[in-house]
Structures are given as structure tokens and as C-alpha cells.
Amino acid sequence: MNLIIDAGNTRIKAAIFNGLELIHNEVFKVDNFVQGCVKLINHFNCKQAIISSVGAIKKSEIAIIKEHIQLIELNSLTKIPFKNEYSTPNTLGVDRIGLVAAAVSMYPSKNVLIIDSGTCITYDFVDDKSHYYGGAISPGIQIRYKSLPEFTEKLPLLQPNFDVSLIGNSTENCIHSGIINGVLGEMDSIIERYKK
């Protein structure tokens, strides 16, 4: 059994794999993820682990996990199944490296556009020869909601609502429509441009 840890900007996700089969997955808060990972290691008798961290995980926390399992810290020097053509490979987020590696493994010899919607929305392109060229980084849904009250005087901070119509009939509905339909329109447009 292998433990996979994905520490993002907002959440820390952990998954247990037996080969390519997903056995179990969990989401942790930053303050209890080490204890949660150690519990998973012991419960599933994990032998190896890898961590991809773009969040604020302390070296001391990683050291505790290393006391319990052989741990690889994904970085720009980790052996990967694609050729990295990014002009600044040391600045490429490890979350994006992990996504491209998964895409190449799941869709060999195919052009793949990977879209990941988290704190930021990332777009990454790898071609049918497993060459990774880059993509784009865009503000995520939460960032868009938070930016409106921060940069305006009267617009409220709302929680995301994905059940929206195109035409909002109140300020709140207009905000929901603008953000959600804006993200969907952005994604549709980028997908079409990559297809061309």
C-alpha cells in the first residue's frame, strides 16, 4: 500500500493506493494532518509515500512522517514520466507536476489538457510525445468571491453557489452568475482554443 499526500493552499488530501487502485481517501485540516497520515500509515500498513506540497507544511511535520515511512518529497528534480519543457522548471508547482505525471500515465501517447480547480485554476498541456509545455494560472472561485468586497465598497462577500442562471435578478444572483458562469466560460474558451 502507498500513501499519497497532496498539500494544497486550502486543504490537505491523502489517499491510499494499492498499485493503481484507490483504496481510501481523506481530507485533513493543516493542524491534524500529521496525526491523520500516521494513522493511515499504520492502519493500511503503507510501505511508501509521496508528498506534493504547495501549502504551508513545516519541515518538522514532514520529518515526523518520515519517521514512519519512506517518503519522497515531489520537486523539480524528482524523476517524472514526461519531458519538462517549462522555461523555468524550478518554479513549476509540484501540484502541476503531479497532475501532468498522472495525465501521461493515464492517457499515454495523447495530447492532454489538464484543468485543476482549487485555490487557483490551472491549465496544463502535455502532448502525445509526453512533452510538457506549460499552461496558465487563473484565480480560483473562492478568490473571485473574496476579491469583490475587497476591491469594492458595496458588494458583499458571498459563499459560492453553483446553482445559477445566466441572468441574475439581484445583486447576489448577479455575483453568483458572474463568477460561476465566468469560470465556465473561461474553461470552455480555453478548451476550444487548445482543440484548435
Side-chain angles (χ1 to χ4, degrees), residues 67-93:
E67 291 173 5
H68 297 274
I69 195 166
Q70 179 184 348
L71 178 70
I72 296 171
E73 294 179 66
L74 185 61
N75 62 46
S76 62
L77 301 176
T78 304
K79 186 176 179 183
I80 50 177
F82 60 90
K83 183 167 175 81
N84 191 346
E85 304 280 3
Y86 206 60
S87 67
T88 56
N90 294 337
T91 69
L92 180 61

Side-chain angles (χ1 to χ4, degrees), residues 2 11 15 19 26 45 57-58 69 99 106 119-120 123 147-148 151 159 172 190-191:
N2 297 315
R11 303 179 303 159
E26 265 183 72
N45 194 25
I57 291 181
K58 298 174 187 158
I69 195 166
L99 289 167
M106 292 176 72
T119 303
C120 293
Y123 302 87
S147 70
L148 292 177
F151 292 103
Q159 291 302 311
E172 288 189 6
I190 288 176
I191 290 167

Side-chain angles (χ1 to χ4, degrees), residues 176-191:
H176 293 308
S177 176
I179 292 172
I180 302 304
N181 288 314
V183 166
L184 294 173
E186 171 187 303
M187 289 181 179
D188 286 344
S189 173
I190 288 176
I191 290 167

Side-chain angles (χ1 to χ4, degrees), residues 140-153:
I141 291 171
Q142 288 284 2
I143 290 174
R144 294 175 199 225
Y145 273 99
K146 288 178 181 177
S147 70
L148 292 177
E150 185 174 335
F151 292 103
T152 67
E153 287 296 321

Side-chain angles (χ1 to χ4, degrees), residues 80-174:
I80 50 177
F82 60 90
K83 183 167 175 81
N84 191 346
E85 304 280 3
Y86 206 60
S87 67
T88 56
N90 294 337
T91 69
L92 180 61
V94 291
D95 53 341
R96 296 171 74 191
I97 292 172
L99 289 167
V100 175
V104 168
S105 297
M106 292 176 72
Y107 304 102
S109 303
K110 294 191 177 189
N111 293 324
V112 182
L113 174 64
I114 305 118
I115 303 173
D116 182 37
S117 181
T119 303
C120 293
I121 299 169
T122 59
Y123 302 87
D124 291 289
F125 177 73
V126 61
D127 73 9
D128 58 356
K129 294 176 181 59
S130 299
H131 288 226
Y132 170 71
Y133 295 98
I137 301 172
S138 178
I141 291 171
Q142 288 284 2
I143 290 174
R144 294 175 199 225
Y145 273 99
K146 288 178 181 177
S147 70
L148 292 177
E150 185 174 335
F151 292 103
T152 67
E153 287 296 321
K154 299 192 177 184
L155 293 178
L157 175 60
L158 302 175
Q159 291 302 311
N161 178 358
F162 297 95
D163 183 24
V164 299
S165 59
L166 180 60
I167 300 173
N169 61 0
S170 68
T171 299
E172 288 189 6
N173 288 343
C174 286

